[in-house]
Amino acid sequence: MAGVPYKYGLEAVAAVDDLAVETDGVTMLVDPDSLPFLAGCEVDFVEKIGAAAFEVRNPNAASGCGCGSSFSI
């Protein structure tokens, strides 16, 4: 892991201070502590042969781990 991990999970209810972003009927919640690290990010669901995962393109990351699950600033 490079530093700051990306964490994905399912939430039944958004927290009062979460930012909700909806695209194509899918809502992503971001907590306020994470917002500075994720400003300008693009999140996509990518399907490749034998794998499917969320892919984050983060313009704030100076480096990242090989698996794409964390980044450093």
Side-chain angles (χ1 to χ4, degrees):
M1 199 157 43
V4 181
Y6 294 112
K7 179 183 174 193
Y8 305 100
L10 298 174
E11 296 291 334
V13 178
V16 174
D17 55 355
D18 281 347
L19 170 69
V21 179
E22 184 176 342
T23 303
D24 297 329
V26 176
T27 302
M28 182 177 70
L29 302 173
V30 181
D31 67 274
D33 293 335
S34 299
L35 283 175
F37 301 109
L38 300 175
C41 281
E42 294 178 15
V43 179
D44 196 7
F45 187 75
V46 179
E47 295 181 87
K48 299 177 183 176
I49 296 175
F54 287 102
E55 179 179 276
V56 180
R57 289 178 290 284
N58 188 341
N60 306 302
S63 65
C65 66
C67 65
S69 65
S70 65
F71 65 98
S72 292
I73 296 182

